[in-house]
Amino acid sequence: MSAAGGGAAGTLRVPGRHGYAVEFSPYLPGRVACAACQHYGIAGCGTLLVLDKYESGLRLFRSFDWNDGLFDVTWSENNEHVLVTCSGDGSLQLWDTAKAAGPLQVYKEHIQEVYSVDWSQTRGEQLVVSGSWDQTVKVWDPTVGKSLCTFRGHESVIYSTIWSPHIPGCFASASGDQTLRIWDMKTTGVRIVIPAHQAEILSCDWCKYNENLLVTGAVDCSLRGWDLRNVRQPVFELLGHTYAVRRVKFSPFHVSVLASCSYDFTVRFWNFSKPDPLLETEEHHTEFTCGLDLSLHSPTQVADCAWDETIKIYDPACLIVPP
């Protein structure tokens, strides 16, 4: 493994590992977790990489191997050492970065690949939501060995599941069935079904400043914004990617700024409130760019990963100058 980059940017090259997801630690500035696979996730094992950004570049803190590809990762919201990954064998893994050993716990209920995992952000609940190619969503209490409930309704694989940062027990899911769905644990069912694209939807995210606003990213190369109070039409559409949009993320610092990464190898930054919304395009990967996150500690810091075996942490110019 080799690291490069100065204070402004850093790159960690991980030979033989293709990155699927990155997430900044909510506790430690500059710490990032990456879920990666051998052989592009088609075969082989997976690796969870935990790295830190220093002035001199990126340094690997710890890595953990799993016997199948790892597709997503989420940090615990109540313990700085704990994270959860999900994998191609249908399981979720709970890891402790303070220990070099394997997972503390494995949760195996899904019967196909688990593509998405997210730890709840609202106070008073510590829950994990997972989305699978078996067309189900499951909610877990990490202290309990089995899922609390299973949500059915999607008619194709589920690519993305994410908790509302505002409403306890509420989460969204995006699927190959071309719908965005909003679910509520209190009713154990679907609240809203939005036919958001005429293509598979690979990602969704909640706005950090508006409990009614979500964004979707799809195989049709577009991002669309949705106001849950009126879902007949998107409130914005962002065009520019030339292949499928793999992941979308709202900024934690700017109400109308978001980022997206794509199979067109780029990461793009947008301000949907502007007439010309595209702020910047990063073209620093040479393969599918799958993982993307925006730091909770720094208003300018971004992490991404791609199938070119690199993880990058950097500060795009458009975020250094207020968007």
Side-chain angles (χ1 to χ4, degrees), residues 238 254 256-259 267-274 276-282 316-319 321-323:
L238 304 173
H254 305 286
S256 57
V257 171
L258 47 85
V267 179
R268 294 173 195 246
F269 298 90
W270 315 81
N271 185 333
F272 65 79
S273 69
K274 293 196 166 185
D276 188 6
L278 182 61
L279 301 174
E280 188 172 338
T281 302
E282 290 282 351
C318 68
L319 298 184
V321 179

Side-chain angles (χ1 to χ4, degrees), residues 51-106:
L51 49 129
D52 292 304
K53 184 177 189 301
Y54 296 93
E55 284 299 308
S56 58
L58 305 186
R59 269 184 241 160
L60 187 68
F61 171 72
R62 214 180 281 299
S63 69
F64 302 93
D65 287 328
W66 186 246
N67 55 18
D68 210 315
L70 296 179
F71 294 132
D72 201 9
V73 60
T74 185
W75 287 94
S76 164
E77 295 286 337
N78 69 349
N79 183 328
E80 69 183 58
H81 302 294
V82 170
L83 13 69
V84 173
T85 53
C86 59
S87 78
D89 61 9
S91 69
L92 282 68
Q93 305 80 30
L94 183 80
W95 308 89
D96 185 342
T97 62
K99 300 180 172 69
L104 300 181
Q105 185 112 25
V106 177

Side-chain angles (χ1 to χ4, degrees), residues 12 51 54 64 113 119 131 147 178 241 246-247 267 296:
L12 186 74
L51 49 129
Y54 296 93
F64 302 93
E113 291 93 331
W119 198 295
S147 64
Q178 308 182 0
H241 282 295
R246 181 61 181 80
R247 207 172 289 267
V267 179
L296 300 166

